[in-house]
Amino acid sequence: MEREEVKKRLTERFGDKIRIAEKSPARVYVYAENDIWVDLASYLFNELDARFDTGASVDDRDGVEVMFFMPFDREHYYVTIKTFAKKPNPTLDSISNVIPGAKWIEREIFEMYEVDFRNHPDLRPLLRADTRPADFYPGKRECKNELESARSREDGRERADEVAGKPPKGENP
Amino acid sequence: MVKKIPIGPYHPVLEEPEFFELHVEGERVVGIDITIGWSHRGIELLSEHKTWDQVPFLVERVCGICSCSHPFAYVKAVEDCAGIEVPLRAQYIRLIVAELERLHSHLLWTGLAGHFIGYNTVFMWAWKYREPVLDILEAVTGNRNHYAMLRVGGVRRDLPESEVPMVLERLDELEKNNELLTKAIVDDPVIHARTKGVGVFDRKMCRLYGALGPTARAGGYDVDARRDHPIDAYDKVDFDVILCENGDVFDKAVVRQLENFEAIKIIRQCLKQMEPGEIATEVHEIPPGEGLGIYEAPRGEVLHYIRSDGGNMPLRHKIRAPSFNNILTNEVSVVGETVADAGLITAAVDPCYSCTERVGIVDRGDGGRWVASEGDLIRMSQERTEKIRKELQGNRRNG
């Protein structure tokens, strides 16, 4: 579906709950409010026939910016939908029940940025080692800062490893 | 009675650790639980501590086989963010290295798949034919792998004109050999019996699970970033996107073999069309903003997302390799199949998983457990091929 048509349909459907920005002919960004997040992804995927690609997230001090990439391949452009999950308890509805392919990326965002995806079928950490503390979220600004300050201390690397939950040197977990 | 069979996390044939817990009833798989993250190296975080120009050296180590694909997607993301134009000659050089990588990756997979089913002749042939591709890469880039060719704004080294006749000659040889290998695979009744209808993942499921690359195209899901989101000179060369429709292991092999011909076609066009000229644009700074880089790697689309605050390193760098989407498809394609086929099906998406394997079999009924050597799963798979081969020979004699 052509870019202008997609923008028109999204505006008709979601009104002022979204804001559309175009960076280039191949990149369209849709900023959405939390409460329409699943509807927006579902509408693009099921009604407008966008493909689901993957997601990403960025820690933005007051919250976590979550985005999913949904390209229109035949028309050669990417729609990126974005929303903002506010701290201290960033929470979003999961789109995994609509798009099963989103299961793993939501698990990854949860374990890296502590975004709680409501109604996710299986929100276990995906990548981290068993030894890492449950409340350590490596993508979060607070955890990164803690790591950096640990590294700058005298005991340097050992202390940083301790913060990240790594076993002491030479010890096999 | 349902039993659980763990496969992994370390595997003898492939490159990266994964853990598949198969739930089986007799020989039949009724469920699967997949655990990844066994070699999580924190490359995204490392990247955020390197300068824009250092990152390509890091991301080409995401995967040894895809050591052009990841830098390619990364530099495109940065160029998307900063609006950088790449000189035409550099665009063609990027394509040549990328398509050579596709050739060696597909041939490597074909060899491994042959080994998996106990067809070591295919393994020997495919890896023998792969060797000249690595020779070309060495001649063109200086390395058989980890080419260090791409940089933001262009490429680091020019393609030596003196090597072009050798490249063309090797491609001619490879084309003939690939034809021979493809015919051997497509016409072989044992391979048919062993791979057709096994591990089916159809078009509808591909869309729902976001399958990519040959895994998707084997099921008739028509996605290829080279055509859909062309970068650099991909819109200046002519090639076909190979599609099959059944989505089984056989079709995944056929797609890869036929894609080799297209890769050769693309390289020849690049060599013919490229003219002398600049190989890089000078890049002084990356402005604040974000960029998306998409490239069709041998295993499927690689995606890199970067965000810049105007500093000399990325504020955020997200990497998504195609195996991240494709391994999840095993949730569907392995269920209903036999244990002997499970290894083959998980390997058919050409995942990155690793180099030693343990197989533990847990009997939930009596709590008994035994740990077998890494060869057991492959042996079961090879025994099955042998059984089929004998049956076919018997049928031929009787018929």
Side-chain angles (χ1 to χ4, degrees):
Chain A
M1 187 176 286
E2 289 302 328
R3 207 169 67 247
E4 291 306 319
E5 181 65 18
V6 167
K7 281 162 56 186
K8 190 177 137 212
R9 291 216 197 173
L10 286 174
T11 310
E12 280 171 8
R13 172 83 179 234
F14 297 104
D16 57 4
K17 294 269 186 187
I18 58 167
R19 183 170 62 81
I20 299 176
E22 262 183 284
K23 188 186 152 195
S24 70
R27 304 280 183 268
V28 177
Y29 293 91
V30 180
Y31 299 85
E33 291 184 13
N34 285 179
D35 56 338
I36 58 151
W37 181 240
V38 177
D39 285 345
L40 176 63
S42 173
Y43 184 67
L44 276 161
F45 188 73
N46 291 320
E47 309 285 326
L48 305 187
D49 212 24
R51 174 166 67 86
F52 173 76
D53 199 332
T54 191
S57 44
V58 181
D59 189 307
D60 216 3
R61 220 176 288 272
D62 300 328
V64 179
E65 187 180 306
V66 178
M67 63 193 91
F68 285 109
F69 307 108
M70 305 192 73
F72 286 81
D73 292 322
R74 292 290 163 276
E75 293 76 22
H76 316 303
Y77 67 95
Y78 261 73
V79 172
T80 303
I81 59 173
K82 291 185 173 190
T83 194
F84 195 72
K86 278 187 185 154
K87 288 179 183 174
N89 299 308
T91 306
L92 273 182
D93 287 325
S94 166
I95 67 164
S96 297
N97 296 310
V98 181
I99 308 169
K103 270 191 274 191
W104 278 10
I105 190 65
E106 287 188 340
R107 282 174 64 182
E108 186 184 315
I109 294 172
F110 159 67
E111 75 164 330
M112 294 291 170
Y113 292 88
E114 204 189 357
V115 178
D116 181 12
F117 286 95
R118 280 183 299 241
N119 304 320
H120 189 286
D122 180 20
L123 199 61
R124 284 176 290 156
L126 182 71
L127 299 168
R128 68 185 174 196
D130 297 341
T131 50
R132 188 175 288 170
D135 59 349
F136 184 77
Y137 298 95
K140 278 176 70 176
R141 196 176 286 258
E142 296 84 349
C143 292
K144 279 184 186 171
N145 291 345
E146 197 181 347
L147 265 180
E148 290 298 330
S149 67
R151 280 204 185 100
S152 63
R153 287 163 47 140
E154 257 181 40
D155 46 5
R157 194 169 183 87
E158 286 76 18
R159 172 66 190 140
D161 287 350
E162 193 186 324
V163 171
K166 285 188 190 167
K169 213 174 177 183
E171 195 175 296
N172 189 345
Chain B
M1 182 199 298
V2 177
K3 289 184 178 178
K4 289 183 176 182
I5 301 180
I7 303 176
Y10 300 100
H11 193 282
V13 184
L14 303 170
E15 303 83 20
E16 196 174 284
E18 306 290 351
F19 181 67
F20 300 95
E21 187 177 70
L22 301 182
H23 303 194
V24 299
E25 276 180 358
E27 270 290 297
R28 194 67 50 191
V29 179
V30 294
I32 184 170
D33 189 20
I34 307 167
T35 312
I36 62 170
W38 300 90
S39 63
H40 185 63
R41 290 162 289 170
I43 285 181
E44 291 178 12
L45 192 65
L46 283 172
S47 170
E48 291 159 20
H49 291 79
K50 303 222 174 281
T51 63
W52 295 105
D53 213 28
Q54 288 173 328
V55 176
F57 297 109
L58 173 69
V59 295
E60 71 179 11
R61 279 149 182 85
V62 171
C63 170
I65 297 170
C66 296
S67 56
C68 175
S69 303
H70 282 282
F72 207 159
Y74 165 76
V75 297
K76 289 319 291 180
V78 180
E79 286 159 12
D80 180 43
C81 176
I84 297 164
E85 288 291 324
V86 179
L88 196 54
R89 184 172 177 84
Q91 293 184 21
Y92 282 119
I93 294 173
R94 283 177 175 185
L95 258 63
I96 290 168
V97 178
E99 291 302 320
L100 284 168
E101 180 172 276
R102 189 178 318 280
L103 280 171
H104 95 72
S105 174
H106 282 353
L107 286 168
L108 182 140
W109 180 85
T110 302
L112 292 179
H115 175 65
F116 261 136
I117 62 168
Y119 228 123
N120 280 330
T121 312
V122 170
F123 172 69
M124 302 287 182
W125 277 3
W127 281 43
K128 182 184 163 194
Y129 301 153
R130 176 176 173 258
E131 209 48 34
V133 182
L134 297 176
D135 289 344
I136 299 175
L137 279 165
E138 190 175 1
V140 169
T141 70
N143 292 311
R144 285 160 63 89
N145 242 304
H146 295 121
Y147 323 107
M149 276 297 268
L150 275 70
R151 55 172 282 193
V152 176
V155 290
R156 289 181 199 280
R157 291 181 289 277
D158 203 349
L159 187 121
E161 286 297 328
S162 57
E163 301 291 353
V164 173
M166 180 277 283
V167 174
L168 289 169
E169 194 184 316
R170 293 280 165 94
L171 287 178
D172 290 344
E173 279 169 28
L174 181 64
E175 192 173 31
K176 279 182 210 149
N177 292 335
N178 193 58
E179 202 170 335
L180 197 73
L181 186 61
T182 307
K183 278 182 185 158
I185 292 169
V186 171
D187 295 340
D188 191 297
V190 177
I191 292 179
H192 277 215
R194 194 66 183 73
T195 59
K196 277 203 164 181
V198 173
V200 172
F201 200 72
D202 64 21
R203 189 186 175 283
K204 187 182 159 202
M205 296 311 286
C206 286
R207 180 167 151 70
L208 280 174
Y209 276 78
L212 298 164
T215 304
R217 293 192 285 277
Y221 190 40
D222 190 4
V223 287
D224 189 324
R226 292 175 298 173
R227 176 202 59 201
D228 300 334
H229 306 281
I231 49 173
D232 288 346
Y234 271 114
D235 57 356
K236 297 176 183 69
V237 291
D238 176 42
F239 65 97
D240 292 323
V241 174
I242 306 295
L243 274 185
C244 287
E245 54 186 28
N246 299 316
D248 52 17
V249 175
F250 183 78
D251 279 2
K252 285 169 190 162
V254 169
V255 166
R256 291 190 178 97
Q257 277 304 119
L258 297 182
E259 280 187 1
N260 285 346
F261 293 112
E262 299 305 313
I264 293 170
K265 204 160 99 183
I266 292 171
I267 298 167
R268 281 194 185 125
Q269 289 175 71
C270 291
L271 289 168
K272 194 176 170 192
Q273 292 171 17
M274 67 195 288
E275 289 173 1
E278 293 292 317
I279 58 164
T281 306
E282 276 306 311
V283 180
H284 298 291
E285 61 178 30
I286 308 301
E290 57 191 333
L292 197 56
I294 303 121
Y295 170 68
E296 185 73 19
R299 297 179 171 97
E301 178 203 288
V302 168
L303 182 144
H304 282 232
Y305 168 84
I306 59 103
R307 182 172 290 186
S308 164
D309 59 358
N312 66 344
M313 51 182 79
L315 184 70
R316 173 82 173 101
H317 182 187
K318 166 71 191 160
I319 303 168
R320 198 289 317 274
S323 290
F324 190 84
N325 285 25
N326 286 340
I327 290 172
L328 188 58
T329 66
N330 291 318
E331 266 192 8
V332 177
S333 55
V334 173
V335 174
E337 303 290 349
T338 64
V339 179
D341 287 333
L344 180 63
I345 296 166
T346 55
V349 303
D350 194 7
C352 286
Y353 71 75
S354 121
C355 297
T356 40
E357 168 195 305
R358 288 167 301 174
V359 180
I361 297 184
V362 181
D363 184 338
R364 287 213 303 184
D366 61 10
R369 169 187 284 265
W370 59 277
V371 178
S373 71
E374 44 86 6
D376 278 15
L377 203 72
I378 292 179
R379 198 190 65 239
M380 287 165 78
S381 178
Q382 293 177 344
E383 282 170 0
R384 184 161 180 197
T385 305
E386 193 54 32
K387 195 177 153 207
I388 290 170
R389 197 198 311 267
K390 281 180 181 156
E391 279 171 11
L392 285 171
Q393 281 170 352
N395 290 346
R396 227 175 284 147
R397 260 184 241 122
N398 297 334

